[in-house]
Amino acid sequence: MNIRLAKVNPTVEDLMGMQACNLQNLPENYTMKFWMYHAMTWPQLSFVAEDRGRIVGYVLAKIEDPAEDDKEPEIHGHVNSISVLRSYRRLGLAKKLMLLSQEAMASIYKAEYVSLHVRQSNKAAIALYRDTLGFEVAKVEKKYYGDGEDALSMRLSLILVIIQDCIISK
Ligand code: ACO
């Protein structure tokens, strides 16, 4: 098993693997243009888990531009999507993918926090975010999803990661 940065190359094989993994695991799906835009704009933030050449998990993330949102003026990362194929779950892959992306958000972009949305009924993902990674619920967004389900808007401060990076680089 290998966990590495998603790469953008002419065959876009990583992105197709990520998209295939997403289609198997989640009802929120995206066009190839969307995957490509994220990988090319924030190439340091998306990671894949690969087993013998097959993408078995991914995290797709971005940086929110504070200039575009007066209500949230701090630079922050946002996890668009994460999933791991069913037969590869509970091996710690999602935790590792999230930690790598969070570390890159803090060290490269100095993101003050990371945010995400998760379905209120998604017990596995909520346990990952809250119990394993330390996220907190910032608010509940009513009828956020296309089928009317509410989303938990969750956040994790990255300030400690930024401070640790500063100490290490001195
Ligand atoms: N039930 C309860 N807790 C769980 C579960 C579960 N089924 N799965 C993970 N956790 C929690 C546990 O605390 C676990 O630690 P432990 O195994 O030591 O008890 C911790 O999360 C870390 O688990 P990982 O092994 O790293 O998680 P995994 O690789 O299995 O992936 C994921 C978790 C991504 C939620 C997976 O179940 C999945 O792909 N689900 C379908 C897609 C999905 O729901 N994605 C998230 C949508 S929200 C978004 O994308 C922003």
Side-chain angles (χ1 to χ4, degrees):
M1 185 79 66
N2 179 23
I3 295 197
R4 60 166 172 77
L5 265 179
K7 56 178 185 260
V8 182
N9 63 33
T11 61
V12 293
E13 60 207 13
D14 272 359
L15 298 175
M16 289 175 71
M18 291 162 84
Q19 188 182 42
C21 193
N22 168 269
L23 284 167
Q24 284 188 48
N25 285 319
L26 282 164
E28 288 76 41
N29 309 130
Y30 313 101
T31 61
M32 184 45 72
K33 194 173 156 189
F34 180 89
W35 292 95
M36 203 171 282
Y37 171 72
H38 280 72
M40 293 179 81
T41 313
W42 301 281
Q44 308 93 337
L45 301 186
S46 293
F47 290 83
V48 293
E50 184 182 56
D51 185 25
R52 286 162 286 179
R54 180 184 182 208
I55 302 299
V56 298
Y58 68 85
V59 59
L60 182 78
K62 65 177 179 176
I63 294 293
E64 297 277 19
D65 185 349
E68 286 174 10
D69 189 349
D70 292 344
K71 288 191 202 130
E72 298 190 22
E74 304 95 351
I75 296 177
H76 65 281
H78 185 80
V79 174
N80 291 90
S81 183
I82 178 168
S83 72
V84 172
L85 291 183
R86 206 168 279 278
S87 49
Y88 292 83
R89 290 186 189 162
R90 296 310 282 265
L91 299 174
L93 290 179
K95 177 183 173 187
K96 281 191 192 127
L97 290 164
M98 286 289 294
L99 288 175
L100 286 167
S101 188
Q102 289 169 200
E103 165 66 26
M105 287 170 189
S107 61
I108 299 168
Y109 294 96
K110 305 289 175 261
E112 291 185 28
Y113 65 90
V114 50
S115 64
L116 55 80
H117 290 103
V118 58
R119 284 178 181 267
Q120 199 159 244
S121 62
N122 192 341
K123 299 227 171 356
I126 293 169
L128 165 72
Y129 303 139
R130 187 191 52 209
D131 305 337
T132 301
L133 296 168
F135 277 74
E136 289 178 351
V137 177
K139 60 184 167 192
V140 177
E141 297 197 22
K142 293 278 173 201
K143 298 189 185 340
Y144 177 84
Y145 293 99
D147 59 6
E149 184 168 351
D150 296 348
L152 302 186
S153 169
M154 302 187 84
R155 280 188 188 191
L156 173 71
S157 171
L158 296 177
I159 295 295
L160 278 179
V161 185
I162 295 178
I163 294 170
Q164 277 165 4
D165 277 352
C166 287
I167 294 169
I168 290 166
S169 63
K170 275 192 181 164

